[in-house]
Coordinates of all heavy atoms in Angstrom, one line a residue:
M1 N 45.4 44.9 -42.7 CA 45.1 44.0 -43.8 C 46.1 42.9 -43.9 O 47.3 43.1 -43.7 CB 45.2 44.9 -45.1 CG 44.3 46.1 -45.2 SD 42.6 45.7 -45.2 CE 42.4 45.2 -47.0
L2 N 45.6 41.7 -44.2 CA 46.5 40.6 -44.3 C 46.0 39.5 -45.3 O 44.8 39.5 -45.5 CB 46.8 39.9 -42.9 CG 45.7 39.3 -42.1 CD1 46.3 38.5 -41.0 CD2 44.8 40.3 -41.6
T3 N 46.9 38.8 -45.8 CA 46.6 37.7 -46.8 C 46.1 36.5 -46.0 O 46.3 36.3 -44.8 CB 47.8 37.5 -47.7 OG1 48.9 37.1 -46.9 CG2 48.1 38.7 -48.5
K4 N 45.6 35.5 -46.8 CA 45.1 34.3 -46.2 C 46.2 33.5 -45.4 O 45.9 33.0 -44.3 CB 44.4 33.4 -47.2 CG 43.7 32.3 -46.6 CD 42.8 31.6 -47.6 CE 42.0 30.4 -46.9 NZ 41.1 29.8 -47.8
G5 N 47.3 33.4 -46.0 CA 48.4 32.7 -45.2 C 48.7 33.3 -43.9 O 48.9 32.6 -42.9
E6 N 48.7 34.6 -43.9 CA 48.9 35.4 -42.6 C 47.8 35.2 -41.7 O 47.9 35.0 -40.5 CB 49.1 36.8 -42.9 CG 50.3 37.2 -43.7 CD 50.2 38.6 -44.1 OE1 49.6 38.9 -45.2 OE2 50.8 39.5 -43.5
A7 N 46.6 35.1 -42.2 CA 45.4 35.0 -41.4 C 45.4 33.6 -40.8 O 45.0 33.4 -39.6 CB 44.1 35.2 -42.2
L8 N 45.7 32.6 -41.6 CA 45.8 31.2 -41.0 C 46.8 31.1 -39.9 O 46.6 30.5 -38.9 CB 46.0 30.2 -42.1 CG 44.9 29.9 -43.1 CD1 45.3 29.2 -44.3 CD2 43.7 29.2 -42.4
F9 N 48.0 31.8 -40.1 CA 49.0 31.7 -39.1 C 48.6 32.5 -37.9 O 48.8 32.0 -36.7 CB 50.3 32.4 -39.7 CG 51.5 32.2 -38.9 CD1 52.0 31.0 -38.5 CD2 52.3 33.3 -38.5 CE1 53.1 30.8 -37.7 CE2 53.4 33.2 -37.7 CZ 53.8 31.9 -37.3
A10 N 47.9 33.6 -38.1 CA 47.4 34.4 -36.9 C 46.4 33.6 -36.2 O 46.3 33.6 -34.9 CB 46.8 35.7 -37.4
A11 N 45.5 32.9 -36.9 CA 44.5 32.0 -36.3 C 45.2 30.9 -35.4 O 44.7 30.6 -34.3 CB 43.6 31.4 -37.3
Q12 N 46.3 30.4 -35.9 CA 47.0 29.4 -35.1 C 47.5 30.1 -33.8 O 47.4 29.5 -32.7 CB 48.3 28.9 -35.8 CG 48.0 28.0 -36.9 CD 49.2 27.5 -37.6 OE1 50.3 28.0 -37.4 NE2 49.0 26.6 -38.5
G13 N 47.9 31.4 -33.8 CA 48.3 32.1 -32.6 C 47.1 32.3 -31.7 O 47.3 32.2 -30.5
V14 N 45.9 32.6 -32.3 CA 44.7 32.8 -31.4 C 44.4 31.5 -30.7 O 44.2 31.4 -29.5 CB 43.5 33.2 -32.3 CG1 42.2 33.2 -31.5 CG2 43.8 34.6 -32.9
R15 N 44.5 30.4 -31.4 CA 44.3 29.0 -30.8 C 45.3 28.8 -29.8 O 45.0 28.3 -28.7 CB 44.4 28.0 -31.9 CG 43.2 27.9 -32.8 CD 42.1 27.1 -32.1 NE 40.9 26.9 -33.0 CZ 40.8 25.8 -33.8 NH1 41.7 25.0 -33.9 NH2 39.7 25.7 -34.5
A16 N 46.6 29.1 -30.0 CA 47.7 28.8 -29.1 C 47.5 29.7 -27.8 O 48.0 29.3 -26.7 CB 49.0 29.2 -29.7
S17 N 46.7 30.8 -27.9 CA 46.5 31.6 -26.7 C 45.3 31.1 -25.9 O 44.9 31.7 -24.9 CB 46.2 33.1 -27.1 OG 45.0 33.2 -27.7
G18 N 44.7 30.0 -26.4 CA 43.6 29.3 -25.7 C 42.3 29.8 -26.1 O 41.2 29.5 -25.5
R19 N 42.2 30.6 -27.2 CA 40.9 31.1 -27.7 C 40.5 30.4 -28.9 O 41.3 29.9 -29.7 CB 41.0 32.6 -28.0 CG 41.4 33.5 -26.8 CD 41.7 34.9 -27.2 NE 41.9 35.8 -26.1 CZ 43.1 35.8 -25.4 NH1 44.1 35.2 -25.9 NH2 43.3 36.6 -24.4
K20 N 39.1 30.4 -29.1 CA 38.6 29.8 -30.3 C 38.0 30.8 -31.2 O 37.7 30.5 -32.4 CB 37.5 28.7 -29.9 CG 38.1 27.5 -29.2 CD 37.1 26.5 -29.0 CE 37.8 25.3 -28.3 NZ 36.9 24.2 -27.9
K21 N 37.8 32.0 -30.7 CA 37.2 33.1 -31.5 C 38.0 34.4 -31.1 O 38.7 34.5 -30.1 CB 35.8 33.4 -31.1 CG 34.8 32.3 -31.5 CD 33.4 32.7 -31.1 CE 32.4 31.7 -31.7 NZ 31.0 32.0 -31.4
L22 N 37.8 35.4 -32.0 CA 38.4 36.7 -31.7 C 37.6 37.3 -30.6 O 36.4 37.3 -30.6 CB 38.4 37.6 -32.9 CG 39.4 37.2 -34.1 CD1 39.2 38.2 -35.2 CD2 40.8 37.2 -33.6
P23 N 38.3 38.0 -29.7 CA 37.5 38.7 -28.7 C 36.8 39.9 -29.3 O 37.3 40.5 -30.3 CB 38.6 39.2 -27.7 CG 39.9 39.0 -28.4 CD 39.7 38.1 -29.5
P24 N 35.6 40.2 -28.8 CA 34.9 41.4 -29.4 C 35.6 42.7 -29.2 O 36.3 42.8 -28.2 CB 33.5 41.4 -28.7 CG 33.8 40.5 -27.4 CD 34.9 39.6 -27.7
R25 N 35.5 43.6 -30.1 CA 36.2 44.8 -30.0 C 35.3 45.9 -30.6 O 35.0 45.9 -31.7 CB 37.5 44.7 -30.8 CG 38.5 45.8 -30.6 CD 39.4 45.5 -29.4 NE 40.0 46.7 -28.8 CZ 41.1 46.7 -28.1 NH1 41.7 45.6 -27.9 NH2 41.5 47.8 -27.6
E26 N 34.9 46.9 -29.8 CA 34.0 47.9 -30.2 C 34.7 49.2 -30.5 O 34.1 50.1 -31.2 CB 33.0 48.2 -29.0 CG 32.3 47.0 -28.5 CD 31.2 46.5 -29.4 OE1 30.5 47.3 -30.0 OE2 30.9 45.3 -29.4
D27 N 35.9 49.3 -30.2 CA 36.6 50.7 -30.3 C 37.4 50.8 -31.6 O 38.0 51.8 -31.8 CB 37.5 50.9 -29.1 CG 38.6 49.9 -29.0 OD1 38.7 49.0 -29.8 OD2 39.4 50.0 -28.0
G28 N 37.3 49.8 -32.5 CA 38.0 49.9 -33.8 C 39.5 49.5 -33.7 O 40.2 49.5 -34.7
A29 N 40.0 49.2 -32.5 CA 41.4 48.8 -32.4 C 41.6 47.4 -32.9 O 40.6 46.7 -33.1 CB 41.9 48.9 -31.0
C30 N 42.8 46.9 -33.1 CA 43.0 45.6 -33.5 C 42.4 44.6 -32.5 O 42.6 44.7 -31.3 CB 44.5 45.3 -33.6 SG 44.9 43.6 -34.1
P31 N 41.6 43.6 -33.0 CA 41.0 42.6 -32.1 C 42.0 41.8 -31.3 O 41.7 41.1 -30.4 CB 40.1 41.8 -33.0 CG 40.8 41.9 -34.3 CD 41.4 43.3 -34.4
L32 N 43.3 41.8 -31.7 CA 44.3 41.0 -31.1 C 45.2 41.8 -30.1 O 46.1 41.3 -29.6 CB 45.2 40.3 -32.2 CG 44.3 39.4 -33.1 CD1 45.1 39.0 -34.3 CD2 43.9 38.2 -32.3
L33 N 44.8 43.0 -29.9 CA 45.5 43.9 -28.9 C 44.9 43.5 -27.6 O 43.7 43.7 -27.3 CB 45.3 45.3 -29.3 CG 46.0 46.3 -28.4 CD1 47.5 46.1 -28.5 CD2 45.7 47.8 -28.8
G34 N 45.7 43.0 -26.7 CA 45.2 42.6 -25.3 C 45.0 43.8 -24.4 O 45.4 44.9 -24.7
P35 N 44.3 43.5 -23.3 CA 44.0 44.6 -22.4 C 45.2 45.3 -21.8 O 45.1 46.4 -21.3 CB 43.2 43.9 -21.3 CG 43.4 42.4 -21.5 CD 43.9 42.2 -22.9
Q36 N 46.3 44.6 -21.8 CA 47.6 45.2 -21.2 C 48.3 46.0 -22.3 O 49.4 46.4 -22.1 CB 48.5 44.2 -20.7 CG 47.8 43.2 -19.8 CD 48.0 43.5 -18.3 OE1 49.1 43.7 -17.9 NE2 47.0 43.4 -17.5
G37 N 47.7 46.1 -23.5 CA 48.4 46.8 -24.6 C 49.4 46.0 -25.3 O 50.3 46.6 -26.0
R38 N 49.3 44.7 -25.2 CA 50.3 43.8 -25.9 C 49.5 42.9 -26.9 O 48.4 42.6 -26.7 CB 51.0 42.9 -24.8 CG 51.9 43.7 -23.9 CD 52.6 42.8 -23.0 NE 53.4 43.6 -22.1 CZ 54.5 43.2 -21.6 NH1 54.9 41.9 -21.7 NH2 55.2 44.0 -20.8
C39 N 50.3 42.6 -27.9 CA 49.7 41.7 -28.9 C 49.5 40.3 -28.4 O 50.4 39.7 -27.8 CB 50.7 41.6 -30.1 SG 50.1 40.6 -31.4
M40 N 48.3 39.8 -28.6 CA 48.0 38.4 -28.1 C 48.6 37.3 -28.9 O 48.7 36.2 -28.5 CB 46.4 38.2 -28.1 CG 45.7 39.0 -27.1 SD 43.9 38.5 -27.1 CE 43.2 40.0 -27.6
I41 N 49.1 37.7 -30.1 CA 49.6 36.6 -31.0 C 51.0 37.1 -31.5 O 51.3 36.9 -32.6 CB 48.7 36.4 -32.2 CG1 48.4 37.6 -33.0 CG2 47.4 35.8 -31.7 CD1 48.0 37.4 -34.4
Y42 N 51.8 37.7 -30.6 CA 53.0 38.3 -31.1 C 53.9 37.5 -32.0 O 54.3 38.0 -33.0 CB 53.8 38.8 -29.9 CG 54.9 39.7 -30.2 CD1 54.7 41.0 -30.6 CD2 56.3 39.3 -30.3 CE1 55.7 41.9 -31.0 CE2 57.3 40.1 -30.6 CZ 57.0 41.4 -31.0 OH 58.0 42.2 -31.4
T43 N 54.1 36.2 -31.6 CA 54.9 35.4 -32.5 C 54.2 35.0 -33.8 O 54.9 34.5 -34.7 CB 55.4 34.1 -31.8 OG1 54.3 33.4 -31.3 CG2 56.3 34.5 -30.6
H44 N 52.9 35.2 -33.8 CA 52.1 34.9 -35.0 C 51.6 36.1 -35.7 O 50.7 36.0 -36.6 CB 51.0 34.0 -34.7 CG 51.3 32.6 -34.2 ND1 51.9 32.3 -33.0 CD2 51.3 31.4 -34.9 CE1 52.1 31.0 -32.9 NE2 51.8 30.4 -34.0
R45 N 52.1 37.3 -35.4 CA 51.6 38.6 -35.9 C 51.8 38.6 -37.5 O 52.8 38.1 -38.0 CB 52.2 39.8 -35.2 CG 53.7 40.0 -35.4 CD 54.2 40.9 -34.4 NE 55.6 41.3 -34.6 CZ 56.6 40.5 -34.3 NH1 56.5 39.3 -33.9 NH2 57.9 41.0 -34.5
P46 N 51.0 39.4 -38.2 CA 51.1 39.5 -39.6 C 52.3 40.2 -40.1 O 53.0 40.9 -39.3 CB 49.8 40.3 -40.0 CG 48.9 40.1 -38.8 CD 49.7 40.0 -37.6
F47 N 52.6 40.1 -41.3 CA 53.7 40.7 -42.0 C 53.8 42.2 -41.7 O 54.9 42.7 -41.4 CB 53.7 40.4 -43.5 CG 54.9 40.9 -44.2 CD1 56.1 40.2 -44.1 CD2 54.8 41.9 -45.1 CE1 57.2 40.6 -44.8 CE2 55.9 42.4 -45.8 CZ 57.1 41.7 -45.7
G48 N 52.7 42.9 -41.9 CA 52.7 44.4 -41.7 C 53.1 44.8 -40.3 O 53.7 45.8 -40.1
C49 N 52.7 44.0 -39.4 CA 53.0 44.3 -38.0 C 54.5 44.0 -37.7 O 55.0 44.7 -36.8 CB 52.2 43.4 -37.0 SG 50.4 43.5 -37.2
R50 N 55.1 43.2 -38.5 CA 56.5 42.9 -38.3 C 57.4 43.9 -38.9 O 58.5 44.2 -38.4 CB 56.8 41.5 -38.9 CG 56.2 40.4 -38.2 CD 56.4 39.1 -39.0 NE 55.7 38.0 -38.4 CZ 56.1 37.2 -37.4 NH1 57.4 37.4 -37.0 NH2 55.4 36.3 -36.9
T51 N 56.9 44.5 -40.0 CA 57.8 45.4 -40.8 C 57.3 46.8 -40.9 O 58.1 47.7 -41.2 CB 57.9 44.8 -42.2 OG1 56.6 45.0 -42.8 CG2 58.4 43.4 -42.2
H52 N 56.1 47.0 -40.7 CA 55.4 48.4 -41.0 C 55.7 48.8 -42.4 O 55.6 50.0 -42.7 CB 55.9 49.4 -40.0 CG 55.5 49.0 -38.6 ND1 54.3 49.2 -38.0 CD2 56.3 48.4 -37.6 CE1 54.3 48.7 -36.8 NE2 55.5 48.2 -36.5
F53 N 56.2 47.9 -43.2 CA 56.4 48.1 -44.7 C 57.4 49.3 -44.9 O 57.4 49.9 -46.0 CB 55.1 48.4 -45.4 CG 54.2 47.2 -45.4 CD1 53.1 47.3 -44.6 CD2 54.5 46.1 -46.1 CE1 52.2 46.2 -44.5 CE2 53.6 45.0 -46.0 CZ 52.5 45.0 -45.2
C54 N 58.2 49.6 -44.0 CA 59.2 50.7 -44.3 C 60.5 50.5 -43.4 O 60.4 50.1 -42.2 CB 58.6 52.1 -44.1 SG 58.3 52.5 -42.4
A55 N 61.6 50.8 -44.0 CA 62.9 50.7 -43.2 C 62.9 51.7 -42.1 O 63.5 51.4 -41.0 CB 64.0 51.0 -44.2
A56 N 62.3 52.9 -42.2 CA 62.3 53.9 -41.2 C 61.6 53.4 -39.9 O 62.0 53.9 -38.8 CB 61.6 55.2 -41.7
A57 N 60.7 52.5 -40.0 CA 60.1 51.9 -38.8 C 60.9 50.8 -38.2 O 60.5 50.2 -37.2 CB 58.7 51.4 -39.2
G58 N 62.1 50.6 -38.7 CA 62.9 49.6 -38.1 C 62.7 48.2 -38.6 O 63.1 47.2 -37.9
G59 N 62.1 48.0 -39.8 CA 61.9 46.7 -40.3 C 63.2 46.0 -40.4 O 64.2 46.6 -40.7
P60 N 63.3 44.7 -40.2 CA 64.6 44.0 -40.2 C 65.1 43.7 -41.6 O 66.3 43.3 -41.7 CB 64.2 42.7 -39.5 CG 62.8 42.4 -39.8 CD 62.2 43.8 -39.9
Y61 N 64.4 44.0 -42.7 CA 64.8 43.6 -44.0 C 64.9 44.9 -44.9 O 64.2 45.8 -44.8 CB 63.9 42.6 -44.6 CG 63.7 41.4 -43.9 CD1 62.5 41.1 -43.2 CD2 64.7 40.4 -43.8 CE1 62.4 40.0 -42.5 CE2 64.6 39.3 -43.1 CZ 63.4 39.0 -42.4 OH 63.2 37.9 -41.7
P62 N 65.9 44.8 -45.8 CA 66.0 45.9 -46.8 C 64.7 45.9 -47.7 O 64.0 44.9 -47.8 CB 67.2 45.6 -47.6 CG 68.0 44.6 -46.9 CD 67.0 43.9 -46.0
R63 N 64.4 47.1 -48.3 CA 63.2 47.3 -49.1 C 63.0 46.2 -50.1 O 61.9 45.7 -50.4 CB 63.2 48.7 -49.7 CG 61.9 49.0 -50.3 CD 61.8 50.5 -50.6 NE 60.6 50.9 -51.2 CZ 59.4 51.0 -50.5 NH1 59.5 50.8 -49.2 NH2 58.3 51.3 -51.1
K64 N 64.1 45.9 -50.8 CA 64.0 44.9 -51.9 C 63.6 43.5 -51.3 O 62.7 42.8 -51.9 CB 65.4 44.7 -52.5 CG 65.6 43.4 -53.4 CD 65.3 43.7 -54.8 CE 65.6 42.5 -55.7 NZ 64.8 41.3 -55.5
H65 N 64.1 43.2 -50.2 CA 63.6 41.9 -49.6 C 62.2 42.0 -49.2 O 61.4 41.0 -49.3 CB 64.5 41.6 -48.4 CG 65.9 41.2 -48.7 ND1 66.8 40.7 -47.8 CD2 66.6 41.3 -49.9 CE1 68.0 40.5 -48.4 NE2 67.8 40.8 -49.7
L66 N 61.7 43.2 -48.7 CA 60.3 43.3 -48.3 C 59.4 43.1 -49.6 O 58.4 42.4 -49.5 CB 60.0 44.7 -47.8 CG 60.5 45.0 -46.4 CD1 60.1 46.4 -45.9 CD2 60.0 43.9 -45.4
A67 N 59.8 43.6 -50.7 CA 59.1 43.5 -51.9 C 59.0 42.0 -52.3 O 57.9 41.5 -52.7 CB 59.7 44.3 -53.1
D68 N 60.1 41.3 -52.2 CA 60.1 39.9 -52.5 C 59.2 39.1 -51.5 O 58.5 38.2 -52.0 CB 61.6 39.3 -52.3 CG 62.5 39.8 -53.4 OD1 62.0 40.3 -54.5 OD2 63.7 39.7 -53.3
L69 N 59.2 39.4 -50.3 CA 58.4 38.7 -49.3 C 56.9 39.0 -49.6 O 56.1 38.1 -49.4 CB 58.8 39.2 -47.9 CG 60.1 38.6 -47.4 CD1 60.5 39.4 -46.1 CD2 60.1 37.1 -47.1
I70 N 56.6 40.3 -49.9 CA 55.2 40.6 -50.3 C 54.7 39.8 -51.5 O 53.6 39.2 -51.5 CB 55.0 42.1 -50.5 CG1 55.2 42.9 -49.2 CG2 53.7 42.4 -51.2 CD1 55.4 44.4 -49.4
Q71 N 55.6 39.6 -52.5 CA 55.3 38.8 -53.6 C 55.0 37.4 -53.2 O 54.1 36.7 -53.7 CB 56.4 38.9 -54.7 CG 56.1 38.1 -55.9 CD 54.9 38.6 -56.7 OE1 54.7 39.7 -56.9 NE2 54.0 37.6 -56.9
R72 N 55.8 36.9 -52.3 CA 55.7 35.5 -51.9 C 54.3 35.3 -51.1 O 53.7 34.3 -51.3 CB 56.9 35.0 -51.0 CG 58.1 34.9 -51.9 CD 59.4 34.7 -51.0 NE 59.3 33.4 -50.3 CZ 60.2 33.0 -49.4 NH1 61.2 33.8 -49.1 NH2 60.1 31.9 -48.8
L73 N 54.0 36.3 -50.3 CA 52.7 36.2 -49.6 C 51.5 36.3 -50.6 O 50.5 35.6 -50.5 CB 52.6 37.4 -48.6 CG 53.4 37.3 -47.4 CD1 53.3 38.6 -46.6 CD2 52.8 36.2 -46.5
D74 N 51.7 37.1 -51.7 CA 50.6 37.1 -52.7 C 50.5 35.8 -53.4 O 49.4 35.3 -53.7 CB 50.9 38.2 -53.7 CG 50.6 39.6 -53.2 OD1 49.9 39.7 -52.1 OD2 51.1 40.6 -53.8
T75 N 51.6 35.2 -53.7 CA 51.6 33.9 -54.4 C 51.0 32.8 -53.5 O 50.2 32.0 -53.9 CB 53.1 33.4 -54.8 OG1 53.6 34.4 -55.6 CG2 53.1 32.1 -55.4
L76 N 51.4 32.8 -52.2 CA 50.8 31.9 -51.3 C 49.2 32.1 -51.2 O 48.5 31.2 -51.1 CB 51.4 32.1 -49.9 CG 50.9 31.2 -48.8 CD1 51.1 29.7 -49.1 CD2 51.6 31.5 -47.4
D77 N 48.8 33.4 -51.2 CA 47.4 33.7 -51.1 C 46.7 33.1 -52.3 O 45.6 32.5 -52.1 CB 47.3 35.3 -51.1 CG 45.8 35.7 -50.7 OD1 45.4 35.4 -49.6 OD2 45.1 36.3 -51.6
E78 N 47.2 33.2 -53.5 CA 46.6 32.6 -54.6 C 46.5 31.1 -54.5 O 45.5 30.5 -54.8 CB 47.4 32.9 -55.9 CG 47.2 34.4 -56.4 CD 48.0 34.7 -57.6 OE1 48.3 33.7 -58.4 OE2 48.4 35.8 -57.8
T79 N 47.6 30.5 -54.0 CA 47.6 29.0 -53.8 C 46.5 28.6 -52.8 O 45.9 27.5 -53.0 CB 49.0 28.6 -53.2 OG1 50.0 29.0 -54.2 CG2 49.1 27.1 -53.1
L80 N 46.3 29.4 -51.8 CA 45.3 29.1 -50.8 C 43.9 29.6 -51.2 O 43.0 29.5 -50.3 CB 45.7 29.7 -49.4 CG 47.0 29.2 -48.8 CD1 47.4 30.1 -47.6 CD2 46.8 27.8 -48.3
D81 N 43.7 30.0 -52.4 CA 42.4 30.6 -52.9 C 42.0 31.7 -52.0 O 40.8 31.9 -51.7 CB 41.3 29.5 -52.9 CG 41.5 28.5 -54.0 OD1 42.0 28.9 -55.1 OD2 41.2 27.3 -53.8
G82 N 42.9 32.6 -51.6 CA 42.6 33.8 -50.8 C 42.0 34.8 -51.7 O 41.9 34.7 -52.9
E83 N 41.6 35.9 -51.1 CA 40.9 37.0 -51.8 C 41.8 38.3 -51.8 O 41.3 39.4 -51.9 CB 39.6 37.3 -51.1 CG 38.6 36.2 -51.0 CD 37.4 36.4 -50.1 OE1 37.1 37.6 -49.8 OE2 36.8 35.5 -49.7
G84 N 43.1 38.1 -51.6 CA 44.0 39.2 -51.4 C 43.9 39.8 -50.0 O 43.3 39.2 -49.2
P85 N 44.6 40.9 -49.8 CA 44.6 41.4 -48.4 C 43.2 41.8 -47.9 O 42.5 42.4 -48.7 CB 45.5 42.7 -48.5 CG 46.3 42.4 -49.8 CD 45.5 41.6 -50.7
R86 N 42.9 41.4 -46.7 CA 41.6 41.6 -46.1 C 41.8 42.2 -44.7 O 42.8 42.0 -44.1 CB 40.8 40.3 -46.0 CG 40.5 39.7 -47.3 CD 39.9 38.3 -47.1 NE 38.6 38.5 -46.4 CZ 38.1 37.5 -45.6 NH1 38.7 36.3 -45.5 NH2 37.0 37.7 -44.9
P87 N 40.8 42.9 -44.2 CA 40.8 43.4 -42.8 C 41.1 42.3 -41.8 O 40.6 41.2 -42.0 CB 39.5 44.1 -42.6 CG 39.0 44.4 -44.0 CD 39.5 43.3 -44.8
I88 N 41.9 42.6 -40.8 CA 42.3 41.5 -39.9 C 41.1 40.8 -39.2 O 41.1 39.6 -39.0 CB 43.3 42.1 -38.8 CG1 44.0 41.0 -38.1 CG2 42.7 43.1 -37.9 CD1 45.2 41.4 -37.3
Q89 N 40.1 41.6 -38.8 CA 39.0 41.0 -38.1 C 38.3 39.9 -38.9 O 38.2 38.7 -38.4 CB 37.9 42.1 -37.7 CG 36.7 41.6 -37.0 CD 36.9 41.4 -35.5 OE1 37.6 42.3 -34.9 NE2 36.3 40.4 -34.9
S90 N 37.9 40.2 -40.1 CA 37.2 39.1 -40.9 C 38.2 38.1 -41.4 O 37.8 36.9 -41.4 CB 36.5 39.8 -42.1 OG 37.4 40.5 -42.9
A91 N 39.4 38.4 -41.7 CA 40.3 37.4 -42.3 C 40.7 36.4 -41.2 O 40.6 35.2 -41.5 CB 41.6 38.1 -42.7
V92 N 40.9 36.8 -40.0 CA 41.3 35.9 -38.9 C 40.0 35.1 -38.4 O 40.1 33.9 -38.2 CB 42.0 36.6 -37.7 CG1 42.3 35.6 -36.6 CG2 43.3 37.2 -38.2
A93 N 38.9 35.8 -38.4 CA 37.6 35.1 -38.0 C 37.3 34.0 -39.0 O 37.0 32.8 -38.6 CB 36.5 36.1 -37.9
D94 N 37.5 34.2 -40.3 CA 37.2 33.2 -41.3 C 38.3 32.1 -41.2 O 38.0 30.9 -41.4 CB 37.3 33.8 -42.7 CG 36.0 34.6 -43.0 OD1 35.1 34.6 -42.1 OD2 36.0 35.3 -44.0
A95 N 39.5 32.4 -40.9 CA 40.6 31.4 -40.8 C 40.3 30.5 -39.6 O 40.5 29.3 -39.7 CB 41.9 32.1 -40.6
L96 N 39.8 31.1 -38.5 CA 39.5 30.3 -37.3 C 38.3 29.3 -37.7 O 38.4 28.1 -37.3 CB 39.1 31.2 -36.2 CG 40.2 31.9 -35.4 CD1 39.7 33.0 -34.5 CD2 41.0 30.9 -34.6
E97 N 37.4 29.8 -38.4 CA 36.3 28.9 -38.8 C 36.8 27.8 -39.7 O 36.4 26.6 -39.6 CB 35.2 29.7 -39.6 CG 34.2 30.3 -38.6 CD 33.0 30.9 -39.3 OE1 32.6 30.3 -40.4 OE2 32.4 31.9 -38.9
E98 N 37.7 28.1 -40.6 CA 38.2 27.2 -41.6 C 39.0 26.1 -40.8 O 39.1 24.9 -41.2 CB 39.1 27.9 -42.6 CG 39.5 27.0 -43.7 CD 40.2 27.8 -44.8 OE1 39.8 28.9 -45.2 OE2 41.3 27.3 -45.3
M99 N 39.7 26.5 -39.7 CA 40.5 25.5 -39.0 C 39.6 24.7 -38.0 O 40.1 23.7 -37.5 CB 41.5 26.3 -38.1 CG 42.6 27.0 -39.0 SD 43.6 28.1 -38.0 CE 44.3 27.0 -36.8
A100 N 38.4 25.1 -37.8 CA 37.5 24.3 -36.8 C 37.2 22.9 -37.3 O 37.3 22.6 -38.5 CB 36.3 25.1 -36.6
Ligands
LIG201 S1 51.0 43.5 -33.6 FE1 49.4 43.5 -35.2 S2 48.1 41.7 -34.7 FE2 49.2 42.3 -32.8 S3 47.9 43.7 -31.7 FE3 49.3 44.9 -33.0 S4 48.1 45.3 -34.9 FE4 47.2 43.6 -33.8

């Protein structure tokens, strides 16, 4: 799940990888997971992929900072007329269309 700002940033990563659309994915895995098991947009990956929302997963920020960052993403989502957190497939596909 990701907010609109994250989706637009991920869409930039898709474009930077030379793609204009998300690759089809039938197995339910993330559409941005490449055939070699690596993220196709690693430097543009969403917030949740960066932090896993918990310190135990090795997120780089203390919990208080994560809460602050989540609030900032929510505020940005409102500014961008987003719909709140959405599934990655549809959020990034819509962001790619918006950027076209
Ligand atoms: S890091 Fe996130 S965006 Fe990248 S493949 Fe994994 S789940 Fe998908």
Side-chain angles (χ1 to χ4, degrees):
M1 300 294 282
L2 63 167
T3 57
K4 188 167 182 179
E6 295 168 278
L8 288 167
F9 190 57
Q12 286 178 353
V14 173
R15 286 278 185 89
S17 74
R19 296 171 177 84
K20 293 185 176 174
K21 291 184 174 181
L22 289 179
R25 193 86 201 203
E26 307 282 329
D27 60 2
C30 177
L32 298 167
L33 185 62
Q36 313 259 316
R38 294 181 178 207
C39 179
M40 289 186 243
I41 59 156
Y42 191 75
T43 59
H44 290 77
R45 67 198 186 282
F47 184 72
C49 304
R50 294 171 186 270
T51 66
H52 302 280
F53 298 106
C54 71
Y61 301 107
R63 187 167 184 77
K64 162 93 173 68
H65 290 189
L66 288 183
D68 291 344
L69 289 168
I70 290 168
Q71 181 60 51
R72 290 172 64 185
L73 284 172
D74 286 344
T75 300
L76 180 61
D77 193 64
E78 285 179 30
T79 302
L80 295 170
D81 288 328
E83 301 169 21
R86 298 176 56 208
I88 192 168
Q89 178 85 37
S90 58
V92 176
D94 287 353
L96 283 165
E97 275 191 31
E98 191 172 316
M99 292 169 60

